Amino acid sequence: MLKNNLSVESETKISPDNPIGEMTLILDANFNFIDENWSLDIDSPLITAKLEKEEGID
């Protein structure tokens, strides 16, 4: 589970120098959308990452 970290100082801003991740779009030869891939920096102070067990899975 990923949640935003609201306890981070307000002076911390998302910027090109301080990204929280990147998104890659997968397009076909006609530039039609196929898929997207997200890479998030879970070490960013703006993100709180927590491992959580999915319901119904043992």
Side-chain angles (χ1 to χ4, degrees):
M1 174 187 334
L2 291 173
K3 293 185 176 182
N4 61 331
N5 189 350
L6 299 176
S7 65
V8 172
E9 302 269 339
S10 63
E11 61 194 50
T12 305
K13 304 279 188 229
I14 298 172
S15 71
D17 296 329
N18 187 21
I20 61 170
E22 70 179 49
M23 179 182 69
T24 303
L25 294 176
I26 312 297
L27 307 173
D28 66 13
N30 295 320
F31 293 101
N32 294 314
F33 174 81
I34 295 175
D35 199 4
E36 63 189 49
N37 292 321
W38 289 84
S39 286
L40 297 175
D41 177 9
I42 61 170
D43 294 323
S44 168
L46 298 173
I47 295 176
T48 301
K50 175 179 149 184
L51 217 50
E52 188 173 283
K53 188 176 174 183
E54 287 186 41
E55 289 184 32
I57 297 178
D58 293 323

